[in-house]
mmCIF file of all heavy atoms in Angstrom:
data_model
loop_
_atom_site.group_PDB
_atom_site.id
_atom_site.type_symbol
_atom_site.label_atom_id
_atom_site.label_comp_id
_atom_site.label_asym_id
_atom_site.label_seq_id
_atom_site.Cartn_x
_atom_site.Cartn_y
_atom_site.Cartn_z
ATOM 1 N N PRO A 490 3.635 17.590 10.085
ATOM 2 C CA PRO A 490 3.250 18.949 10.457
ATOM 3 C C PRO A 490 3.711 19.992 9.436
ATOM 4 O O PRO A 490 3.052 21.013 9.249
ATOM 5 C CB PRO A 490 3.956 19.157 11.804
ATOM 6 C CG PRO A 490 4.136 17.790 12.358
ATOM 7 C CD PRO A 490 4.358 16.906 11.165
ATOM 8 N N TYR A 491 4.826 19.743 8.754
ATOM 9 C CA TYR A 491 5.361 20.752 7.829
ATOM 10 C C TYR A 491 4.786 20.646 6.420
ATOM 11 O O TYR A 491 5.142 21.423 5.548
ATOM 12 C CB TYR A 491 6.904 20.698 7.793
ATOM 13 C CG TYR A 491 7.484 19.351 7.403
ATOM 14 C CD1 TYR A 491 7.827 19.063 6.084
ATOM 15 C CD2 TYR A 491 7.710 18.360 8.371
ATOM 16 C CE1 TYR A 491 8.356 17.838 5.736
ATOM 17 C CE2 TYR A 491 8.237 17.122 8.026
ATOM 18 C CZ TYR A 491 8.553 16.873 6.714
ATOM 19 O OH TYR A 491 9.077 15.652 6.372
ATOM 20 N N LEU A 498 -5.748 19.888 9.033
ATOM 21 C CA LEU A 498 -5.634 19.123 10.281
ATOM 22 C C LEU A 498 -6.957 19.111 11.045
ATOM 23 O O LEU A 498 -7.314 18.109 11.674
ATOM 24 C CB LEU A 498 -4.492 19.682 11.151
ATOM 25 C CG LEU A 498 -3.087 19.346 10.609
ATOM 26 C CD1 LEU A 498 -2.009 20.055 11.429
ATOM 27 C CD2 LEU A 498 -2.836 17.834 10.613
ATOM 28 N N HIS A 515 3.802 11.457 10.572
ATOM 29 C CA HIS A 515 5.199 11.729 10.941
ATOM 30 C C HIS A 515 5.209 12.935 11.877
ATOM 31 O O HIS A 515 4.707 13.998 11.492
ATOM 32 C CB HIS A 515 6.027 12.100 9.711
ATOM 33 C CG HIS A 515 6.100 11.058 8.641
ATOM 34 N ND1 HIS A 515 5.473 11.186 7.431
ATOM 35 C CD2 HIS A 515 6.741 9.870 8.591
ATOM 36 C CE1 HIS A 515 5.735 10.125 6.663
ATOM 37 N NE2 HIS A 515 6.490 9.314 7.343
ATOM 38 N N VAL A 516 5.791 12.804 13.058
ATOM 39 C CA VAL A 516 5.852 13.931 13.992
ATOM 40 C C VAL A 516 7.230 13.995 14.659
ATOM 41 O O VAL A 516 7.747 12.984 15.124
ATOM 42 C CB VAL A 516 4.781 13.792 15.104
ATOM 43 C CG1 VAL A 516 4.795 15.021 16.000
ATOM 44 C CG2 VAL A 516 3.382 13.590 14.516
ATOM 45 N N HIS A 517 7.791 15.178 14.704
ATOM 46 C CA HIS A 517 9.086 15.397 15.368
ATOM 47 C C HIS A 517 10.138 14.403 14.847
ATOM 48 O O HIS A 517 10.820 13.758 15.622
ATOM 49 C CB HIS A 517 8.959 15.278 16.893
ATOM 50 C CG HIS A 517 8.237 16.433 17.529
ATOM 51 N ND1 HIS A 517 8.439 16.794 18.853
ATOM 52 C CD2 HIS A 517 7.327 17.306 17.057
ATOM 53 C CE1 HIS A 517 7.664 17.828 19.156
ATOM 54 N NE2 HIS A 517 6.978 18.162 18.085
ATOM 55 N N THR A 519 12.801 15.309 13.047
ATOM 56 C CA THR A 519 14.127 15.922 13.174
ATOM 57 C C THR A 519 14.029 17.215 13.994
ATOM 58 O O THR A 519 12.938 17.799 14.132
ATOM 59 C CB THR A 519 14.693 16.316 11.793
ATOM 60 O OG1 THR A 519 13.814 17.298 11.207
ATOM 61 C CG2 THR A 519 14.801 15.118 10.863
ATOM 62 N N GLU A 522 12.650 20.096 11.882
ATOM 63 C CA GLU A 522 11.187 20.203 11.817
ATOM 64 C C GLU A 522 10.656 21.032 12.989
ATOM 65 O O GLU A 522 9.770 21.888 12.817
ATOM 66 C CB GLU A 522 10.567 18.790 11.848
ATOM 67 C CG GLU A 522 9.059 18.785 11.960
ATOM 68 C CD GLU A 522 8.503 17.390 12.279
ATOM 69 O OE1 GLU A 522 9.132 16.381 11.902
ATOM 70 O OE2 GLU A 522 7.438 17.315 12.922
ATOM 71 N N VAL A 523 11.210 20.793 14.166
ATOM 72 C CA VAL A 523 10.758 21.525 15.354
ATOM 73 C C VAL A 523 11.135 23.002 15.229
ATOM 74 O O VAL A 523 10.311 23.894 15.491
ATOM 75 C CB VAL A 523 11.361 20.895 16.633
ATOM 76 C CG1 VAL A 523 10.956 21.706 17.862
ATOM 77 C CG2 VAL A 523 10.901 19.441 16.771
ATOM 78 N N ASP A 524 12.349 23.266 14.770
ATOM 79 C CA ASP A 524 12.804 24.655 14.597
ATOM 80 C C ASP A 524 11.917 25.404 13.597
ATOM 81 O O ASP A 524 11.528 26.555 13.835
ATOM 82 C CB ASP A 524 14.256 24.689 14.091
ATOM 83 C CG ASP A 524 15.224 24.138 15.125
ATOM 84 O OD1 ASP A 524 14.813 24.011 16.309
ATOM 85 O OD2 ASP A 524 16.359 23.830 14.757
ATOM 86 N N THR A 525 11.622 24.752 12.497
ATOM 87 C CA THR A 525 10.783 25.372 11.471
ATOM 88 C C THR A 525 9.415 25.734 12.034
ATOM 89 O O THR A 525 8.881 26.826 11.788
ATOM 90 C CB THR A 525 10.619 24.410 10.271
ATOM 91 O OG1 THR A 525 11.908 24.039 9.821
ATOM 92 C CG2 THR A 525 9.854 25.069 9.139
ATOM 93 N N SER A 526 8.853 24.830 12.812
ATOM 94 C CA SER A 526 7.536 25.077 13.403
ATOM 95 C C SER A 526 7.588 26.253 14.375
ATOM 96 O O SER A 526 6.663 27.084 14.413
ATOM 97 C CB SER A 526 7.048 23.820 14.120
ATOM 98 O OG SER A 526 5.806 24.051 14.741
ATOM 99 N N MET A 527 8.674 26.339 15.140
ATOM 100 C CA MET A 527 8.826 27.459 16.080
ATOM 101 C C MET A 527 8.811 28.780 15.308
ATOM 102 O O MET A 527 8.180 29.750 15.724
ATOM 103 C CB MET A 527 10.146 27.326 16.867
ATOM 104 C CG MET A 527 10.188 26.183 17.865
ATOM 105 S SD MET A 527 8.917 26.260 19.162
ATOM 106 C CE MET A 527 9.455 27.710 20.068
ATOM 107 N N HIS A 530 5.036 28.784 13.274
ATOM 108 C CA HIS A 530 3.796 28.695 14.053
ATOM 109 C C HIS A 530 3.972 29.210 15.480
ATOM 110 O O HIS A 530 3.007 29.244 16.241
ATOM 111 C CB HIS A 530 3.289 27.253 14.096
ATOM 112 C CG HIS A 530 2.965 26.680 12.751
ATOM 113 N ND1 HIS A 530 1.783 26.934 12.092
ATOM 114 C CD2 HIS A 530 3.695 25.888 11.910
ATOM 115 C CE1 HIS A 530 1.783 26.301 10.925
ATOM 116 N NE2 HIS A 530 2.935 25.672 10.785
ATOM 117 N N CYS A 532 5.269 27.709 17.878
ATOM 118 C CA CYS A 532 5.232 26.607 18.852
ATOM 119 C C CYS A 532 5.773 25.333 18.218
ATOM 120 O O CYS A 532 5.943 25.258 16.994
ATOM 121 C CB CYS A 532 3.809 26.382 19.363
ATOM 122 S SG CYS A 532 2.675 25.832 18.076
ATOM 123 N N ARG A 533 6.019 24.349 19.063
ATOM 124 C CA ARG A 533 6.497 23.048 18.573
ATOM 125 C C ARG A 533 5.340 22.304 17.891
ATOM 126 O O ARG A 533 4.177 22.511 18.256
ATOM 127 C CB ARG A 533 7.053 22.224 19.737
ATOM 128 C CG ARG A 533 8.320 22.836 20.348
ATOM 129 C CD ARG A 533 8.638 22.250 21.709
ATOM 130 N NE ARG A 533 9.006 20.841 21.681
ATOM 131 C CZ ARG A 533 10.242 20.356 21.514
ATOM 132 N NH1 ARG A 533 11.258 21.204 21.365
ATOM 133 N NH2 ARG A 533 10.472 19.061 21.514
ATOM 134 N N PRO A 534 5.641 21.431 16.942
ATOM 135 C CA PRO A 534 4.572 20.695 16.261
ATOM 136 C C PRO A 534 3.637 19.972 17.229
ATOM 137 O O PRO A 534 2.417 19.978 17.040
ATOM 138 C CB PRO A 534 5.343 19.701 15.376
ATOM 139 C CG PRO A 534 6.630 20.390 15.082
ATOM 140 C CD PRO A 534 6.964 21.163 16.323
ATOM 141 N N PHE A 535 4.211 19.385 18.271
ATOM 142 C CA PHE A 535 3.404 18.649 19.243
ATOM 143 C C PHE A 535 2.347 19.567 19.860
ATOM 144 O O PHE A 535 1.170 19.191 19.984
ATOM 145 C CB PHE A 535 4.335 18.089 20.329
ATOM 146 C CG PHE A 535 3.663 17.179 21.320
ATOM 147 C CD1 PHE A 535 3.520 15.820 21.054
ATOM 148 C CD2 PHE A 535 3.198 17.671 22.534
ATOM 149 C CE1 PHE A 535 2.918 14.978 21.977
ATOM 150 C CE2 PHE A 535 2.590 16.830 23.458
ATOM 151 C CZ PHE A 535 2.452 15.481 23.172
ATOM 152 N N ASP A 536 2.750 20.783 20.235
ATOM 153 C CA ASP A 536 1.783 21.733 20.815
ATOM 154 C C ASP A 536 0.739 22.142 19.788
ATOM 155 O O ASP A 536 -0.438 22.299 20.105
ATOM 156 C CB ASP A 536 2.516 22.980 21.333
ATOM 157 C CG ASP A 536 3.350 22.667 22.570
ATOM 158 O OD1 ASP A 536 2.951 21.751 23.324
ATOM 159 O OD2 ASP A 536 4.403 23.303 22.756
ATOM 160 N N ARG A 537 1.184 22.334 18.565
ATOM 161 C CA ARG A 537 0.246 22.717 17.515
ATOM 162 C C ARG A 537 -0.803 21.616 17.315
ATOM 163 O O ARG A 537 -2.009 21.889 17.218
ATOM 164 C CB ARG A 537 1.032 22.970 16.225
ATOM 165 C CG ARG A 537 0.192 23.425 15.077
ATOM 166 C CD ARG A 537 1.028 23.950 13.902
ATOM 167 N NE ARG A 537 0.306 23.757 12.671
ATOM 168 C CZ ARG A 537 0.700 22.965 11.677
ATOM 169 N NH1 ARG A 537 1.860 22.321 11.756
ATOM 170 N NH2 ARG A 537 -0.042 22.832 10.597
ATOM 171 N N LEU A 538 -0.357 20.381 17.268
ATOM 172 C CA LEU A 538 -1.294 19.264 17.095
ATOM 173 C C LEU A 538 -2.243 19.176 18.288
ATOM 174 O O LEU A 538 -3.449 18.941 18.133
ATOM 175 C CB LEU A 538 -0.526 17.950 16.930
ATOM 176 C CG LEU A 538 0.394 17.872 15.700
ATOM 177 C CD1 LEU A 538 1.184 16.564 15.703
ATOM 178 C CD2 LEU A 538 -0.405 18.008 14.404
ATOM 179 N N ALA A 539 -1.696 19.422 19.490
ATOM 180 C CA ALA A 539 -2.535 19.396 20.693
ATOM 181 C C ALA A 539 -3.588 20.499 20.616
ATOM 182 O O ALA A 539 -4.776 20.271 20.877
ATOM 183 C CB ALA A 539 -1.670 19.550 21.938
ATOM 184 N N ASN A 540 -3.148 21.680 20.228
ATOM 185 C CA ASN A 540 -4.081 22.813 20.140
ATOM 186 C C ASN A 540 -5.202 22.556 19.123
ATOM 187 O O ASN A 540 -6.320 23.028 19.294
ATOM 188 C CB ASN A 540 -3.338 24.095 19.747
ATOM 189 C CG ASN A 540 -2.375 24.526 20.841
ATOM 190 O OD1 ASN A 540 -2.531 24.118 22.008
ATOM 191 N ND2 ASN A 540 -1.369 25.323 20.482
ATOM 192 N N LEU A 541 -4.882 21.825 18.092
ATOM 193 C CA LEU A 541 -5.879 21.540 17.060
ATOM 194 C C LEU A 541 -6.768 20.353 17.436
ATOM 195 O O LEU A 541 -7.650 19.964 16.676
ATOM 196 C CB LEU A 541 -5.190 21.273 15.719
ATOM 197 C CG LEU A 541 -4.540 22.510 15.075
ATOM 198 C CD1 LEU A 541 -3.554 22.098 13.983
ATOM 199 C CD2 LEU A 541 -5.619 23.430 14.491
ATOM 200 N N LEU A 544 -4.571 15.306 19.648
ATOM 201 C CA LEU A 544 -4.032 14.356 20.619
ATOM 202 C C LEU A 544 -5.088 13.837 21.585
ATOM 203 O O LEU A 544 -4.784 13.098 22.507
ATOM 204 C CB LEU A 544 -2.856 14.981 21.369
ATOM 205 C CG LEU A 544 -1.754 15.569 20.475
ATOM 206 C CD1 LEU A 544 -0.548 15.964 21.299
ATOM 207 C CD2 LEU A 544 -1.341 14.600 19.372
ATOM 208 N N GLU A 560 6.826 17.590 27.096
ATOM 209 C CA GLU A 560 6.188 16.544 26.282
ATOM 210 C C GLU A 560 6.288 15.174 26.951
ATOM 211 O O GLU A 560 5.356 14.370 26.880
ATOM 212 C CB GLU A 560 6.805 16.538 24.884
ATOM 213 C CG GLU A 560 6.359 17.750 24.059
ATOM 214 C CD GLU A 560 7.318 18.138 22.944
ATOM 215 O OE1 GLU A 560 8.377 17.481 22.769
ATOM 216 O OE2 GLU A 560 7.020 19.131 22.248
#
Side-chain angles (χ1 to χ4, degrees):
Chain A
Y491 57 94
L498 287 174
H515 300 109
V516 184
H517 288 205
T519 62
E522 173 192 331
V523 177
D524 294 345
T525 305
S526 178
M527 291 300 293
H530 299 279
C532 65
R533 294 164 66 89
F535 186 86
D536 290 330
R537 182 168 152 244
L538 298 176
N540 294 339
L541 290 164
L544 307 189
E560 287 156 0

